[in-house]
Amino acid sequence: MTYEFMQHYWWFLVSLLGALLVFLMFVQGANSMIFSLAGDEMERKMLVNSTGRKWEFTFTTLVTFGGAFFASFPLFYSTSFGGAYWLWMLILFSFVLQAVSYEFQNKLGNIFGPGLFQWFLVFNGILGPLLLGGAVATFFNGSNFIVNKMNITDSVQPVISQWANASNGLDALLDPWNLVFGFAVFFLARILGILYIINNVNDENIRAKARKRLVYAAGVFFILFLSFLIRTLFKDGFACDPVTGMVVMEPMKYLHNLLDMWYVLIVLLVGVVLLLFAIYKTITDASYIQGIWPGGIGVVLVVLCLLLCAGWNNTAYYPSNIDLQSSLTLANSCSSEFTLTTMTYVSFLIPFVLAYIVYAWRAIDKKKIDREEMAADDHAY
């Protein structure tokens, strides 16, 4: 295992965690439709309890994603999480608000009633995917930061990375293409949320409403996603010279990445086909409720390939629009060889963790959520 191999290996693991996080945002997607899918209090209770049994998976994956980035590529962590902190603080605030809402909406002494906390869930369901999508879009469109490693010798203020303006990350939302991708992720989360609710909630009224909304969500998503993807493939990208480390603009860099890494392109196409199949089958077959599985696998494959395209093949995965040479690459932002080697051996435990998650998921989903369970369950949200 060479140092370069471990850099690429850890970018793969970080990308996989990011892809799993996008899949698990079906929780946010479903929560954004609590009031539109549910016609009465009982239906809202079923929806909230359906997502309430899975929200810890999403939150834990978000934290793990950030932790893996910090351990393997600490310069990204200090640059983005430290510089663009307003953007990340809004994301974290929305997820913390989600956790509070689940736990307190039916607590004794809640003078506001469950409705307010359910609106907080809607808030997280909209803002979480939108902001995360906007943050990921900066991997392709760049951000406004400067990196000067010589600042580490400054005894007064040894800060390597600095944001180039006072917005501290909120400027990402001023780029319309970041917003396009952010809304694409939002509608993707809604698609996954609909597929999940159809699978997990045994109520024909909710399932009928969900199928109708799936048509609209899928149509808007594909318009936004294809617009962003086509523009990204044909725009200038941020290439890194593997010998000198210099970052230069290369026409159609991301298209070249997919053509050079043909195996990534194949996996990307497989993911798109799986997602299309899940959507089409769910819309056209009223008895089909398993769409979350091919759709979820497809989303994981597509997001994984997009993130690999952003970092592999000598590409600056976190470009700077202010100073090209401040852009972050796998080579100039990773941990030491010793750290990556140690972490690589620890990463071999990941399959066991995934196996436990699958086991826990199956145990939680032994019985579909229905009205009878909600009426009898004293521990329901």
Side-chain angles (χ1 to χ4, degrees):
M1 294 188 295
T2 64
Y3 193 23
E4 182 180 2
F5 168 81
M6 287 186 291
Q7 293 166 1
H8 285 75
Y9 172 73
W10 273 97
W11 181 255
F12 172 82
L13 290 183
V14 168
S15 299
L16 180 59
L17 286 170
L20 291 172
L21 175 60
V22 173
F23 161 64
L24 291 170
M25 281 198 296
F26 68 76
V27 173
Q28 278 64 42
N31 283 345
S32 70
M33 298 178 288
I34 289 175
F35 292 96
S36 60
L37 283 182
D40 55 37
E41 184 177 349
M42 177 58 72
E43 290 183 355
R44 286 197 298 272
K45 190 174 183 179
M46 286 191 288
L47 293 177
V48 170
N49 277 269
S50 178
T51 59
R53 298 176 183 182
K54 300 296 192 309
W55 73 267
E56 291 96 338
F57 290 114
T58 310
F59 197 90
T60 302
T61 305
L62 174 64
V63 175
T64 305
F65 173 70
F69 236 140
F70 168 72
S72 54
F73 300 98
L75 189 53
F76 168 81
Y77 193 88
S78 65
T79 300
S80 182
F81 288 74
Y85 56 82
W86 280 122
L87 178 60
W88 289 108
M89 285 298 292
L90 281 175
I91 294 172
L92 291 175
F93 172 75
S94 74
F95 277 89
V96 170
L97 194 63
Q98 174 204 55
V100 172
S101 299
Y102 277 121
E103 297 302 326
F104 284 92
Q105 60 181 299
N106 289 315
K107 288 286 187 182
L108 293 176
N110 173 18
I111 62 175
F112 302 105
L116 177 63
F117 289 101
Q118 289 172 359
W119 276 111
F120 286 161
L121 292 178
V122 174
F123 175 79
N124 168 252
I126 297 173
L127 198 65
L130 174 62
L131 294 182
L132 275 172
V136 172
T138 61
F139 287 6
F140 300 94
N141 297 326
S143 296
N144 299 309
F145 63 90
I146 300 172
V147 175
N148 185 359
K149 294 185 178 180
M150 291 303 296
N151 284 349
I152 197 66
T153 61
D154 189 339
S155 59
V156 178
Q157 194 175 12
V159 179
I160 295 176
S161 306
Q162 294 180 329
W163 215 251
N165 55 52
S167 71
N168 293 110
L170 294 180
D171 51 338
L173 303 179
L174 298 179
D175 187 328
W177 286 106
N178 290 345
L179 290 177
V180 166
F181 191 72
F183 278 108
V185 173
F186 165 67
F187 281 101
L188 177 60
R190 280 202 159 190
I191 292 172
L192 293 171
I194 290 170
L195 295 176
Y196 171 76
I197 290 298
I198 289 175
N199 176 260
N200 192 249
V201 178
N202 186 18
D203 186 272
E204 289 305 317
N205 186 37
I206 292 178
R207 285 174 173 171
K209 289 181 181 179
R211 284 190 169 87
K212 291 179 181 179
R213 282 163 178 75
L214 181 57
V215 177
Y216 166 73
V220 176
F221 164 71
F222 281 110
I223 291 173
L224 294 171
F225 177 72
L226 290 176
S227 299
F228 180 86
L229 181 63
I230 293 171
R231 185 256 180 179
T232 299
L233 293 179
F234 288 95
K235 81 179 188 74
D236 293 349
F238 301 85
C240 174
D241 189 304
V243 178
T244 64
M246 295 288 290
V247 177
V248 296
M249 301 303 296
E250 178 182 321
M252 296 187 292
K253 169 60 177 172
Y254 300 106
L255 177 61
H256 295 160
N257 282 357
L258 287 179
L259 296 177
D260 292 342
M261 301 184 295
W262 54 268
Y263 44 90
V264 174
L265 177 59
I266 291 175
V267 175
L268 175 66
L269 294 176
V270 170
V272 171
V273 170
L274 285 173
L275 179 59
L276 287 173
F277 167 78
I279 295 172
Y280 174 78
K281 185 71 172 176
T282 302
I283 293 174
T284 58
D285 186 352
S287 64
Y288 184 72
I289 63 172
Q290 304 296 329
I292 185 61
W293 303 120
I297 293 172
V299 166
V300 169
L301 294 180
V302 170
V303 176
L304 172 63
C305 292
L306 289 178
L307 292 176
L308 292 181
C309 186
W312 280 4
N313 200 37
N314 301 315
T315 309
Y317 70 85
Y318 197 50
S320 171
N321 293 326
I322 300 298
D323 175 24
L324 271 182
Q325 304 318 311
S326 292
S327 301
L328 304 187
T329 66
L330 300 187
N332 69 15
S333 64
C334 67
S335 294
S336 67
E337 184 173 3
F338 173 78
T339 301
L340 289 184
T341 302
T342 304
M343 288 170 32
T344 297
Y345 288 118
V346 174
S347 72
F348 295 157
L349 298 174
I350 290 177
F352 298 98
V353 177
L354 293 177
Y356 173 76
I357 292 174
V358 172
Y359 170 78
W361 188 296
R362 289 172 62 90
I364 293 172
D365 279 0
K366 281 184 177 180
K367 184 181 183 299
K368 304 294 184 185
I369 289 178
D370 55 25
R371 295 175 183 268
E372 290 74 17
E373 180 185 358
M374 291 297 98
D377 189 354
D378 294 333
H379 301 287
Y381 286 111

